[in-house]
Amino acid sequence: MMLLLDLPFDLNAGQGGFLAAALFVAAFIRGYSGFGFSAIFIILAALVTNPLPLIPVVFACEIAMTAFQARGIRPHVDWRRTLMLLGGAAIATVPAVTVMARLGEEQARLVISALVLLLSLILLSGWQLRRPIGGLGNLGVGVISGMANSAGVGGLPTAAFLTAQPIPPAVFRATMIVFLTGIDMMALPVMAANGLTGTDTLIGVVLAFPILGAGIWVGSRRFATADQASFRRGVVILLTALAALNIARVL
């Protein structure tokens, strides 16, 4: 169906098919683990097209996916931590998006890939905190995530810090889902103000919906029996490899 239409963002049929498959994989990962959707999709998209115009589509999709998961996650959200993270992200969102919107295609691909590679290596390092960080620490992590979210990968810094703390998998997943929804809702109006949204964005979101639903449904059904630590490590290894590949292509 998707390939029979005039695709948005001047995508050809091959690019459209690749991005549809990437979207399903990313949605499955989001349903399964609660994070990784934006980073996986954006880094895969960067292999075949300019990822910058796709970031608002990804954010709209991320917000929509929360509707699929809201009922099951509500009891597990760490609201105090989430609000502090969102407060930090609010500080950084406007200046970070404004800078990112002015980058060219190759610059955007390089910046996004380098950021994903750095954050993925931090996650892979196995770095651990002796105890959960407090309010100011969460605020600072939120600022870093707000900056990274201008590249569509705001979840990775927060995932790194939450993974480094003794947090139950269900709380990690639920808190990440709510936080990611919040920072995406902050970023979308700023992206619109900087000319990063338009008719193609709306078309992209409409085409993505059935793929999102399928990926989230399959991923969420797997969560109950998931080995979360191993799965998250696999996701991060994939991100590391894709980011390195993108950097090699640009250089």
Side-chain angles (χ1 to χ4, degrees), residues 50-75:
N50 180 7
L52 200 55
L54 296 174
I55 293 176
V57 176
V58 169
F59 286 174
C61 290
E62 193 124 51
I63 293 167
M65 283 189 295
T66 300
F68 290 110
Q69 297 175 291
R71 181 177 297 179
I73 66 172
R74 194 176 303 161

Side-chain angles (χ1 to χ4, degrees), residues 12-13 16 30 46 58 61 63 69 92 94 100 102-103 108 113 145-146 149 154 156-157 160 162 168 189 225 242:
N12 60 39
R30 162 68 183 259
V58 169
C61 290
I63 293 167
Q69 297 175 291
V94 172
M100 182 63 70
R102 284 153 178 75
L103 297 181
S113 299
S145 293
N149 208 43
L156 290 184
L162 295 186
T225 57
L242 291 170

Side-chain angles (χ1 to χ4, degrees), residues 17-251:
F18 179 86
L19 292 178
L23 189 66
F24 178 84
V25 170
F28 171 83
I29 289 169
R30 162 68 183 259
Y32 194 95
S33 68
F35 90 108
F37 171 77
S38 295
I40 285 288
F41 181 74
I42 290 297
I43 205 69
L44 283 170
L47 293 172
V48 297
T49 188
N50 180 7
L52 200 55
L54 296 174
I55 293 176
V57 176
V58 169
F59 286 174
C61 290
E62 193 124 51
I63 293 167
M65 283 189 295
T66 300
F68 290 110
Q69 297 175 291
R71 181 177 297 179
I73 66 172
R74 194 176 303 161
H76 305 292
V77 179
D78 184 339
W79 289 105
R80 185 173 181 276
R81 184 190 300 274
T82 301
L83 290 174
M84 292 303 293
L85 288 167
L86 288 172
I91 297 170
T93 294
V94 172
V97 171
T98 302
V99 170
M100 182 63 70
R102 284 153 178 75
L103 297 181
E105 178 176 345
E106 292 301 311
Q107 291 174 313
R109 183 178 282 118
L110 186 59
V111 168
I112 290 170
S113 299
L115 188 57
V116 170
L117 180 60
L118 173 63
L119 294 170
S120 297
L121 290 174
I122 291 173
L123 281 164
L124 285 175
S125 70
W127 166 65
Q128 292 288 310
L129 294 168
R130 293 184 179 178
R131 61 178 184 269
I133 60 175
L136 287 178
N138 284 307
L139 190 73
V141 174
V143 171
I144 296 169
S145 293
M147 295 171 60
N149 208 43
S150 64
V153 294
L156 290 184
T158 301
F161 275 85
L162 295 186
T163 301
Q165 300 171 74
I167 296 173
V171 175
F172 172 92
R173 177 174 176 263
T175 301
M176 284 298 302
I177 289 170
V178 174
F179 172 68
L180 290 170
T181 303
I183 60 174
D184 292 347
M185 291 176 71
M186 290 179 199
L188 271 175
V190 184
M191 290 187 161
N194 282 277
L196 291 176
T197 62
T199 303
D200 279 359
T201 306
L202 180 59
I203 295 171
V205 172
V206 171
L207 291 174
F209 259 62
I211 303 171
L212 286 177
I216 284 287
W217 181 77
V218 174
S220 294
R221 285 176 63 86
R222 293 278 296 167
F223 173 71
T225 57
D227 179 351
Q228 286 292 306
S230 297
F231 185 77
R232 287 203 296 263
R233 184 172 180 81
V235 171
V236 176
I237 290 171
L238 176 60
L239 282 169
T240 304
L242 291 170
L245 178 59
N246 269 316
I247 291 171
R249 290 177 70 241
V250 172
L251 298 180

